Amino acid sequence: MKKRTFHITVLLLFVAVLPSYAAPPQQQTQPSDLEVLSAFENAIAKVVDQSKPAVVSLSMEKAVGEDNNTQSGGGSGFIFDQSGYILTNAHVVEGAKNFRVELFDDSIYDAQWVGADKLTDIAVLKIEGAEALPMLRIADSSDVRVGQFAIAIGHPIGFRYTVTSGIVGGIGRCFHEKNDLFQYHHNYIQTDAWINPGSSGGPLLNIKGEVIGVTALNPGEGSTLAVDSGLAKKIAHQLIAHGSIIRGYFDAHLHSVSQGLAVVEVGPGTAAARSGLQRDDILVEFDGEKVSALSAFERRVMEYPIGKRCALKVLRQGQEITRHVVIDEMPLELVGRTVKTEAAAWQTLGLAVRKLAADTHQRYAYLTAEDRGILVEKVKKGSPGFKAKIPRGALITAINGQDIVDPQTLETFLQTEQDISEITFDMKGIHGREKVTIQL
């Protein structure tokens, strides 16, 4: 019995092993060069085909010359939200009106201005009356790697849906234009995917069809620049919420040294001067965190609540001391916004104001969701408002007992009541509520 069992076991093993001798396994063949190239070509074409419907062509009217004559302009953009929000460049839509958006299927829609930020060259428009819009997904820009593929889609003049491709040549690039705007961010992606005139504002895509940047600049030398998707998404959401970007500002001239940031100059009457900072002080800590690079410090200040008092640790002649400063809002001229000099508020009071938009209070330490009124953006030196010591950043809630909800309310009052000799504002600022009388 045992012998029979042994024979059966050997037979089964022989049967199991026999196929391996009878039919050797086929060796896996490597794909040919043509097959590899075809697969890559198909992948690129698939990304383009899937992305095109969300890339839009923009047309608009722009004022030119001293007579404000209009001429047509154009550019590119892409839908990043199914509600109809479009990302593009600020320089594409600057000074424009009557926006028209053409989609891939040749349908045309009107678009409304949402907001723009010159410092990052990002703007947002919104399509009205469209449903079930295609959109592009915005990637996490921290995952972008030097050497990865990049695909740009845009609408250069005369050639809709032009596609260029290349690789990411660098990240964290900085480009300083010759202007008076505040220069701070190192958030450009460098690529050799060429950007032609008219393609600005279009998407820069990865191999998955996700947006890694908003094409913006063509400085030449074989490379182009795109605002990275992380910054573009952040700015876009703030523009949707507030209509503009509200930034904190530290009004002292600093430069980097090994120990921290050295104070080069402190202007008279500035928040830095009021805090007691002096030339040659070295800033080593801001609000409990160590200070290192100037660009990182500036970014942190810009996101800090306006009007909030924070502690500064400073080295002065080798001794560590503490000073306190109240963070101010970045001046209009540095963020690319201008004063409406024809406004009655500017001509009569020397005040530039804007409406307190929804959720704007979140950027100001001294405001709440219940507050209503207009914010003072700038005060002209020597004006009645300046003499009354109205601070920039104050919220005006009423004039002579009449509630103010928007700048037009103030304009109407000033144009109607031209014979009055003084007015009284109800205001709210970093020192709380107060009444201020202005002599006219």
Side-chain angles (χ1 to χ4, degrees), residues 129-143:
E131 296 180 357
L133 291 168
M135 57 172 282
L136 294 178
R137 182 178 179 272
I138 298 181
D140 184 348
S141 57
S142 64
D143 294 334

Side-chain angles (χ1 to χ4, degrees), residues 24 40 50 147 160 162 189 203 274 356 359 398:
F40 175 69
Q50 291 177 343
R160 291 185 66 201
T162 292
I189 294 174
R274 291 191 295 271
L356 182 64
D359 298 328

Side-chain angles (χ1 to χ4, degrees), residues 141-152:
S141 57
S142 64
D143 294 334
V144 175
R145 298 176 300 163
V146 174
Q148 75 174 65
F149 288 108
I151 305 164

Side-chain angles (χ1 to χ4, degrees), residues 36-37 39-41 43-44 47 139 143-152 164-171 189-193 203-213:
V36 172
L37 290 175
F40 175 69
E41 181 181 72
I44 296 292
V47 168
D143 294 334
V144 175
R145 298 176 300 163
V146 174
Q148 75 174 65
F149 288 108
I151 305 164
T164 58
S165 65
I167 63 170
V168 172
I171 57 178
I189 294 174
Q190 176 189 341
T191 176
D192 57 355
L204 185 69
L205 306 167
N206 60 20
I207 201 68
K208 299 177 183 178
E210 301 167 329
V211 178
I212 60 174

Side-chain angles (χ1 to χ4, degrees), residues 140 172 174 178 193 229 235 260 306 319 325 336 343 362 368 380 387:
D140 184 348
C174 183
K178 294 180 180 179
S229 57
I235 295 298
I306 310 300
Q319 300 295 316
V325 66
Q362 296 175 359
T368 69
K380 180 166 51 175
K387 293 176 182 177

Side-chain angles (χ1 to χ4, degrees), residues 93-125:
V93 297
E94 181 180 5
K97 60 181 181 179
N98 298 332
F99 300 101
R100 308 267 289 179
V101 177
E102 186 171 357
L103 303 186
F104 183 66
D105 61 4
D106 296 327
S107 59
I108 297 177
Y109 296 91
D110 292 331
Q112 300 298 318
W113 172 274
V114 174
D117 178 46
K118 284 188 177 182
L119 294 194
T120 54
D121 200 16
I122 290 296
V124 177
L125 303 175

Side-chain angles (χ1 to χ4, degrees), residues 332-333 338-353 376-381 383-385 410-411 414:
L332 285 178
E333 56 271 17
T338 57
V339 173
K340 295 181 179 180
T341 55
E342 73 281 1
W346 183 255
Q347 294 181 350
T348 305
L349 307 175
L351 302 179
V353 297
V376 177
E377 290 195 297
K378 187 171 184 177
V379 183
K380 180 166 51 175
K381 288 186 177 181
S383 67
L410 178 59
E411 291 292 294
L414 294 174

Side-chain angles (χ1 to χ4, degrees), residues 153-176:
I153 305 178
H155 300 282
I157 299 172
F159 296 95
R160 291 185 66 201
Y161 291 99
T162 292
V163 179
T164 58
S165 65
I167 63 170
V168 172
I171 57 178
R173 299 301 198 204
C174 183
F175 180 80
H176 290 271

